Amino acid sequence: MPGSFYEQPILNSPYAIPALHHPLDEHGQPLDLPPIKGRRPSKFIVPVPKSRKRQAPAQGTLDLESYTDNALINEVRGYVDAWRSIPNPADWGVTAASQRLLDYWRNHEFSGVRPFFCQVEAVETMIWLTEVAPQRSATKKLTEQILQANREANPDLFRIAMKMATGSGKTTVMAMLIAWQTVNAVRQPHSKNFSKAFLIVAPGITIRDRLRVLLPEDPDNYYVTREIVPPEMIGEVRKAEIVITNYHSFQHREVLQAPKVAKGLLQGNDPEPIRTTETDGEMLKRACGSLLSHRNVNVINDEAHHCYRHKVGGEEEKITIEEKEEAAENEKAARLWISGIEALKRKVGVRAIYDLSATPFFLRGSGYEEGTLFPWVVSDFSLMDAIECGIVKLPRVPVSDNLPNQQDVLYRHLWKHIGKSMPKTAAAAGKMSPFDLPNELQTALYALYSHYEKTFQLWQAESIGVPPVFIVVCQNTAISRLVFEWISGFEREVGEKGDERAAFHGGNLELFRNYDEHGGRLSKPRTLLIDSRQIESGDALDKNFREMAVPEIEQFKRELAQRGGAGSVGDISDEDLLREVMNTVGREGRLGEQIRCVVSVSMLTEGWDTNTVTHILGVRAFGTQLLCEQVVGRGLRRQSYELNPETGLFDVEYADVMGIPFDFTGKPQVATPRPPKPITRVHAIKERSEQEIMFPRVTGYRRDLPEERLVAEFTEDSKLIITPEDIGATKVFMEGIVGEGVIITPEVLEGLRPSTISFNLAKHLLYTCFLDEDRIPKQHLFPQIQRIARRWIDEGYLVTKGVPTGAILYLNQLAKAAERIDRACNRGAGEDARIKAILDPYNPKGSTRFVNFITSKTCQVTGSKPPKCQISHVVLDSDWEGVMADVFESHPRVLAYAKNQGMGLEVPYLDGGISRRYVPDFVVRLDDGGDEPLNLILEVKGYRGEDAKAKGDTMMSYWVPGVNALGEFGRWGFAEFGDWAVMDDDFAKLVDRLLVKEFA
């Protein structure tokens, strides 16, 4: 059993349903106890009114919150878990397209990071609630419960929310939602459950720009580069109509710019005031564009906690003036956001609104108690769940200090101790020097920076190309300027007393200084000052802030000119430039790559996609855990997504946090930084079009056997081995405290006669494999089928080890036996077995020219002369694949080849009656002396288990003859190699055999 939370915080694989969880106390804090088996139920904070004394500073108490089970989420989760466990996709109760996507997301071997369990679960929940729950009487009530929650809070809208911890990958979930809806809408254009039109609304320009990867036409789109959809569905996903905007675009703009006097003259004696702003229709045309030609649009809200309607009759909390101003801003933004969606609903209809947020709670000023969970949240992957799966960094906060007679930890509740002495306006800040900052704040900066220095040195030792990032979140512009200058240095006019120290200072934190040792500005600033709210709105920068940031703006413009030439700066605005720098912090080769410290006014925007943050300092008021989690979330994105090969889990990464009263662990741990693996773009090379390989996308098989005489040709692959591992223990020892023990075995199975077994086996074969076009069993074939079944048993192809022969009558074992006998009948019929492959009706053909994805796996460059592979690289899942590629590159008979990764070549087969797909290893176009080349599918299997036998048998008995019978994809064959060490010899022998066969 793993240790306590402090010894081993990561318990679970990010790719599987959580199997363990750490125990928490009644306030949601980890206990120093061993983990508990099973998954933690979803719980949420119940906000309790906070005790505030008038003389207390603007810092709320955060220890009066308790955790309560979320009944709706847990009930939905239980149904989805049970539904997920159904083994046969045909029983899932969803469309064929949804079935294919679900199977793909759960089982596909992704080239890069595969979707996390929490991402798949979020989409599974949406699919289940849309396609399955309404069809079952026991679960219809859940849909009504969600509808009722919306009637109370969002009249005329249907919102459904997914709660996902910061850093758990909401953008990937959006791509999966778009794929599911679009493919189904294309295939079922009249269904009310699906739409291919999407409005994606973000809280700011930063996220809006980052979400471009959701546009199918974007070169870095997730559908291709992260393999979110099978290759055969890419064409359908490209039919999606997607508009991405920030909620600010819903603001009705002025259409008549005129002074008040001029407007009065225009109005004249008309009692109605003259209209000077856009109508709803004009605003929607500008903000939503092409979506207005579609009906029932899907809306996706990113960071959806900013979108709500004020509660009617809701009571307002007693809050400070600063908090009241912040609440008013929240309320204004929320009203604008939801009003825009309501306008779209009135115009063209809104099918559903999918909300994604790490913190889907009502904000202060909403009329609801701050921190109240949106009642339409149906799935939850909390921060604690994400930490236990290693998906995010573990935040460390101060838990003790050396101050005597102090009830709380100074650097955990920093604002409580310094808030009154901090400036609230620019005028007040103008009277202060950076050296006037409170001693407590200066010491906090020194202390956290000292730890940063050690982290910086560790990253350098590991040759990580970008530095770790230290962020400071300030209450207002006045404070941010003082902190920024204290950290990075400043130049000012000499004061009245001629104090040179007041005129220039190089900065107190060496690694963050923007000046060199001679007082000159560094060519690349290390510390950045940002006003998050202004940057996100898209408006022009405030005059005061612009004046503060002028030196840095000019420096970045010079750097941009150096990188791309003088013309690259062009008409770029100051705000666009700062946004580019902020968005590229920690990214090699971009403007923000060498930024080490970010000083932010207000709060760094949600979705700030930087995974190099290691230290955070809060210099502002924090009223609730909600706000704490939002700010801490800026530092929780992991730096490395490589599993530890020894544990199969992620290694722990940490973010050190001060000044934010966030309830979490603070025990010191050591984490060694790991350099991220290099990313390779694997793509088809246009100039190698002659090496393109076309292949069929097969979804099934149609077979007609000669009915006058069935013949079975059994091979070694026809054997079925059944052990206790397949059916369970067959010998149980039972003992009491005293007395004689007994051994219990399934004796009833041991007494079954061979004739009874062969009869039941033949009956199963008849009803599953020998049906006419109307799915009616061909009864006249039963005698022949029974003789073949009896022969299969008598000739030793049924092998039981430690189990009775009657175990064959278990349904899944009957299915496996039937599959082997059916394939033997195909072989026995030879050319008389009329088998045809059934192609995907939407995308029947695949090609190597569509390959385009990124991966962190080891890759081998292709490029023999002349070239033999259209794809730029061979992805090496193991060393033998590189050896095999070298063999193909050098063999004179190989015309073209491709590693089957990201191509979409999949083979459907049956395993125990359940439809599955497998991905072959290589495709080789071979000159075997025939009239046209032979397309050879190659598979390397060191150990041929039952599953491998089923795959190989399906290829030989169904796929190859079925595709060849189509006559439009050329000639195809299949071969297996058993020993990678002699693959070059085996391949040479295989080619020789094919040549002899062709010329014989």
Side-chain angles (χ1 to χ4, degrees):
M1 176 68 73
S4 72
F5 178 85
Y6 301 104
E7 296 170 346
Q8 186 179 343
I10 298 178
L11 299 173
N12 303 304
S13 165
Y15 304 116
I17 186 170
L20 297 168
H21 66 276
H22 290 291
L24 306 178
D25 65 17
E26 66 272 18
H27 300 296
Q29 306 310 303
L31 298 169
D32 198 5
L33 295 172
I36 301 171
K37 289 185 178 180
R39 186 177 183 183
R40 175 184 296 101
S42 172
K43 297 187 176 186
F44 67 98
I45 297 173
V46 178
V48 178
K50 303 167 188 65
S51 172
R52 290 176 179 268
K53 297 182 179 180
R54 291 191 176 181
Q55 67 271 23
Q59 173 65 60
T61 169
L62 301 169
D63 55 358
L64 296 177
E65 299 171 329
S66 60
Y67 274 64
T68 300
D69 283 3
N70 187 319
L72 174 62
I73 293 175
N74 288 322
E75 185 173 6
V76 171
R77 179 184 290 176
Y79 282 118
V80 173
D81 286 347
W83 171 68
R84 184 190 303 115
S85 66
I86 298 173
N88 194 342
D91 299 329
W92 292 347
V94 298
T95 67
S98 300
Q99 184 184 117
R100 171 71 173 119
L101 286 169
L102 287 167
D103 182 64
Y104 178 84
W105 292 328
R106 294 169 180 171
N107 301 312
H108 179 66
E109 291 292 331
F110 288 82
S111 303
V113 178
R114 59 182 287 196
F116 297 138
F117 167 77
C118 62
Q119 294 170 330
V120 176
E121 182 189 44
V123 182
E124 284 176 336
T125 304
M126 298 303 105
I127 295 174
W128 184 83
L129 284 168
T130 302
E131 301 189 44
V132 182
Q135 309 304 321
R136 299 179 180 178
S137 57
T139 53
K140 283 183 179 180
K141 61 178 183 179
L142 297 173
T143 305
E144 179 55 38
Q145 192 173 338
I146 299 167
L147 286 168
Q148 181 59 35
N150 278 282
R151 278 192 286 267
E152 294 173 0
N154 311 290
D156 299 325
L157 295 176
F158 180 71
R159 297 177 70 177
I160 189 165
M162 291 150 276
K163 182 173 178 286
M164 298 186 67
T166 296
S168 58
K170 293 187 286 294
T171 306
T172 295
V173 173
M174 292 184 211
M176 295 164 81
L177 286 171
I178 290 170
W180 161 59
Q181 278 284 311
T182 301
V183 175
N184 276 291
V186 170
R187 296 187 180 185
Q188 302 182 51
H190 302 297
S191 174
K192 295 181 180 179
N193 284 338
F194 309 108
S195 171
K196 64 178 181 178
F198 299 86
L199 176 65
I200 304 174
V201 189
I205 294 177
T206 296
I207 300 182
R208 184 199 69 183
D209 295 344
R210 180 171 58 81
L211 293 179
R212 285 192 56 83
V213 293
L214 297 175
L215 300 174
E217 64 271 20
D218 189 88
D220 297 321
N221 76 80
Y222 275 15
Y223 314 105
V224 174
T225 61
R226 298 206 178 185
E227 304 174 79
I228 293 300
V229 297
E232 73 268 17
M233 290 182 171
I234 288 293
E236 290 156 301
V237 170
R238 290 196 176 107
K239 296 178 181 178
E241 189 72 50
I242 302 172
V243 171
I244 305 173
T245 189
N246 52 309
Y247 77 87
H248 307 84
S249 66
F250 295 145
Q251 183 69 54
H252 290 68
R253 294 180 180 175
E254 290 280 340
V255 293
L256 178 61
Q257 299 284 350
K260 186 176 181 180
V261 174
K263 291 179 182 178
L265 289 172
L266 289 171
Q267 182 177 344
N269 296 324
D270 193 334
E272 292 294 325
I274 187 171
R275 183 175 67 83
T276 62
T277 59
E278 294 173 316
T279 63
D280 278 356
E282 291 169 334
M283 177 274 293
L284 289 171
K285 185 176 181 180
R286 170 178 51 78
C288 302
S290 58
L291 291 181
L292 299 187
S293 62
H294 294 265
R295 301 292 301 175
N296 296 323
V297 173
N298 286 312
V299 176
I300 299 178
N301 285 333
D302 194 11
E303 307 299 347
H305 54 273
H306 292 288
C307 176
Y308 53 81
R309 177 67 65 188
H310 190 282
K311 184 179 182 181
V312 178
E315 296 184 4
E316 300 299 336
E317 301 174 71
K318 293 181 179 180
I319 53 180
T320 65
I321 294 176
E322 284 186 340
E323 290 172 335
K324 190 173 292 185
E325 291 174 354
E326 185 176 19
E329 290 182 1
N330 290 338
E331 164 69 9
K332 180 181 177 182
R335 183 170 60 249
L336 176 61
W337 191 326
I338 198 165
S339 295
I341 296 174
E342 289 170 342
L344 181 65
K345 166 80 172 180
R346 292 190 295 270
K347 186 73 173 177
V348 298
V350 170
R351 196 197 72 80
I353 302 169
Y354 297 104
D355 290 337
L356 292 101
S357 174
T359 53
F361 306 104
F362 287 105
L363 302 177
R364 179 181 293 139
S366 64
Y368 296 84
E369 188 74 47
E370 182 178 17
T372 300
L373 187 75
F374 287 173
W376 53 90
V377 177
V378 294
S379 72
D380 177 21
F381 202 78
S382 69
L383 178 58
M384 192 59 165
D385 295 330
I387 287 171
E388 289 170 344
C389 291
I391 291 172
V392 298
K393 292 174 182 170
L394 178 63
R396 290 187 293 208
V397 299
V399 292
S400 65
D401 56 32
N402 59 352
L403 290 177
N405 304 319
Q406 188 82 29
Q407 291 185 350
D408 54 25
V409 182
L410 173 63
Y411 296 141
R412 188 163 180 171
H413 301 267
L414 184 60
W415 187 259
K416 178 178 177 180
H417 298 274
I418 67 172
K420 285 185 175 180
S421 59
M422 300 298 287
K424 295 179 174 56
T425 64
K431 299 176 184 178
M432 296 177 62
S433 160
F435 304 107
D436 295 329
L437 290 174
N439 290 341
E440 296 92 339
L441 175 54
Q442 294 189 47
T443 306
L445 284 162
Y446 278 128
L448 199 56
Y449 169 78
S450 298
H451 189 270
Y452 173 91
E453 273 191 328
K454 298 175 183 177
T455 306
F456 182 85
Q457 291 164 5
L458 283 172
W459 283 40
Q460 283 199 318
E462 292 291 335
S463 300
I464 298 176
V466 293
V469 176
F470 184 116
I471 62 177
V472 185
V473 181
C474 299
Q475 180 81 5
N476 55 44
T477 305
I479 296 172
S480 69
R481 177 173 184 174
L482 292 172
V483 172
F484 172 73
E485 291 181 341
W486 187 94
I487 290 174
S488 64
F490 61 86
E491 295 176 81
R492 291 185 178 182
E493 294 181 4
V494 178
E496 295 179 3
K497 298 179 181 180
D499 184 359
E500 291 186 7
R501 186 166 176 265
F504 172 79
H505 190 268
N508 287 285
L509 307 182
E510 183 179 354
L511 292 175
F512 298 159
R513 289 173 181 166
N514 285 340
Y515 297 87
D516 60 27
E517 63 272 21
H518 306 296
R521 280 192 167 271
L522 296 176
S523 59
K524 295 182 179 180
R526 297 170 176 172
T527 298
L528 175 68
L529 176 63
I530 283 291
D531 186 332
S532 302
R533 191 161 284 165
Q534 287 194 42
I535 291 292
E536 288 309 300
S537 68
D539 297 333
L541 292 179
D542 174 78
K543 179 182 177 182
N544 292 331
F545 182 78
R546 182 189 295 275
E547 290 176 355
M548 290 162 44
V550 160
E552 280 66 40
I553 290 172
E554 293 305 316
Q555 201 67 38
F556 284 123
K557 283 186 176 179
R558 285 193 291 272
E559 183 183 350
L560 186 61
Q562 290 172 0
R563 287 173 180 267
S568 61
V569 179
D571 296 326
I572 186 171
S573 67
D574 295 344
E575 44 275 20
D576 286 341
L577 183 68
L578 287 178
R579 191 180 300 116
E580 170 65 14
V581 176
M582 185 175 79
N583 289 348
T584 57
V585 170
R587 299 186 185 181
E588 291 191 65
R590 304 290 292 274
L591 275 181
E593 69 171 337
Q594 292 304 321
I595 293 295
R596 301 174 183 180
C597 178
V598 177
V599 180
S600 170
V601 184
S602 185
M603 180 178 73
L604 279 172
T605 176
E606 299 97 337
W608 188 52
D609 198 14
T610 300
N611 62 357
T612 52
V613 175
T614 55
H615 296 76
I616 305 174
L617 178 65
V619 188
R620 60 158 295 158
F622 291 90
T624 64
Q625 284 293 302
L626 168 62
L627 186 56
C628 292
E629 183 170 340
Q630 287 175 337
V631 177
V632 170
R634 300 312 100 222
L636 295 186
R637 295 185 185 278
R638 285 187 64 89
Q639 188 244 346
S640 170
Y641 289 92
E642 299 298 327
L643 292 174
N644 185 314
E646 296 180 3
T647 64
L649 307 176
F650 284 145
D651 288 330
V652 183
E653 293 183 7
Y654 292 95
D656 290 283
V657 180
M658 282 188 180
I660 303 173
F662 186 64
D663 289 333
F664 224 81
T665 178
K667 283 201 175 183
Q669 304 287 335
V670 177
T672 303
R674 297 172 63 189
K677 286 190 175 181
I679 299 296
T680 303
R681 177 171 170 252
V682 180
H683 62 284
I685 298 175
K686 189 177 181 180
E687 292 72 22
R688 300 183 189 174
S689 58
E690 292 186 4
Q691 284 71 49
E692 178 184 5
I693 297 177
M694 302 278 288
F695 56 87
R697 298 192 190 279
V698 177
T699 59
Y701 314 96
R702 186 173 65 248
R703 187 269 315 265
D704 294 317
L705 291 178
E707 297 186 2
E708 61 278 2
R709 183 168 179 268
L710 295 179
V711 177
E713 182 182 321
F714 297 124
T715 67
E716 190 65 22
D717 285 349
S718 300
K719 282 186 177 180
L720 174 62
I721 301 173
I722 307 176
T723 70
E725 291 183 355
D726 298 304
I727 67 168
T730 56
K731 185 177 292 186
V732 183
F733 299 86
M734 309 287 289
E735 291 185 355
I737 297 176
V738 294
E740 184 181 3
V742 296
I743 299 175
I744 297 179
T745 62
E747 295 178 12
V748 64
L749 294 177
E750 297 172 358
L752 291 176
R753 293 178 298 175
S755 59
T756 303
I757 294 173
S758 64
F759 177 85
N760 283 280
L761 176 55
K763 183 178 178 182
H764 186 83
L765 269 162
L766 177 67
Y767 279 82
T768 56
C769 302
F770 294 89
L771 308 174
D772 61 20
E773 294 180 356
D774 297 321
R775 308 295 295 171
I776 297 174
K778 299 177 179 180
Q779 299 283 357
H780 63 284
L781 295 178
F782 185 76
Q784 295 188 65
I785 296 171
Q786 187 173 11
R787 282 195 296 272
I788 291 172
R790 183 62 184 262
R791 180 183 148 217
W792 180 77
I793 296 171
D794 292 345
E795 292 181 8
Y797 292 102
L798 172 60
V799 180
T800 57
K801 296 182 178 180
V803 300
T805 306
I808 186 64
L809 298 187
Y810 283 57
L811 186 60
N812 65 331
Q813 301 304 315
L814 272 177
K816 290 182 178 181
E819 291 158 12
R820 286 159 172 75
I821 295 173
D822 187 49
R823 290 193 288 266
C825 290
N826 284 345
R827 284 192 294 271
E831 295 183 357
D832 293 331
R834 297 179 294 277
I835 298 173
K836 281 194 175 182
I838 301 172
L839 301 182
D840 186 320
Y842 300 98
N843 294 282
K845 296 180 180 180
S847 168
T848 53
R849 76 170 182 270
F850 299 124
V851 172
N852 182 20
F853 61 88
I854 57 174
T855 181
S856 62
K857 293 181 179 179
T858 303
C859 294
Q860 178 172 303
V861 177
T862 63
S864 61
K865 294 183 180 180
K868 294 189 177 182
C869 183
Q870 187 182 25
I871 302 172
S872 60
H873 298 77
V874 171
V875 180
L876 305 182
D877 294 307
S878 58
D879 293 338
W880 68 261
E881 288 161 317
V883 175
M884 197 76 249
D886 291 339
V887 171
F888 298 147
E889 295 269 3
S890 59
H891 199 287
R893 288 283 178 177
V894 173
L895 304 176
Y897 77 96
K899 168 73 186 303
N900 184 28
Q901 194 138 11
M903 286 171 49
L905 173 55
E906 297 181 339
V907 176
Y909 71 104
L910 287 175
D911 181 23
I914 297 174
S915 298
R916 303 190 188 280
R917 293 169 179 261
Y918 97 94
V919 180
D921 294 325
F922 281 94
V923 184
V924 181
R925 188 160 69 228
L926 197 65
D927 176 9
D928 66 342
D931 295 333
E932 58 179 345
L934 174 68
N935 297 296
L936 196 63
I937 290 181
L938 289 180
E939 187 79 9
V940 178
K941 293 293 180 187
Y943 167 70
R944 294 191 83 243
E946 294 300 314
D947 186 57
K949 292 177 183 178
K951 294 173 183 177
D953 218 354
T954 299
M955 284 296 304
M956 295 299 295
S957 302
Y958 288 96
W959 198 94
V960 169
V963 169
N964 286 334
L966 294 175
E968 54 182 303
F969 291 95
R971 294 188 301 134
W972 288 80
F974 173 74
E976 279 185 292
F977 294 155
D979 188 349
W980 67 268
V982 292
M983 282 189 300
D984 50 349
D985 293 336
D986 287 347
F987 183 73
K989 293 175 182 177
L990 172 65
V991 174
D992 291 342
R993 287 199 304 272
L994 291 170
L995 287 170
V996 170
K997 181 179 178 181
E998 188 63 37
F999 289 109

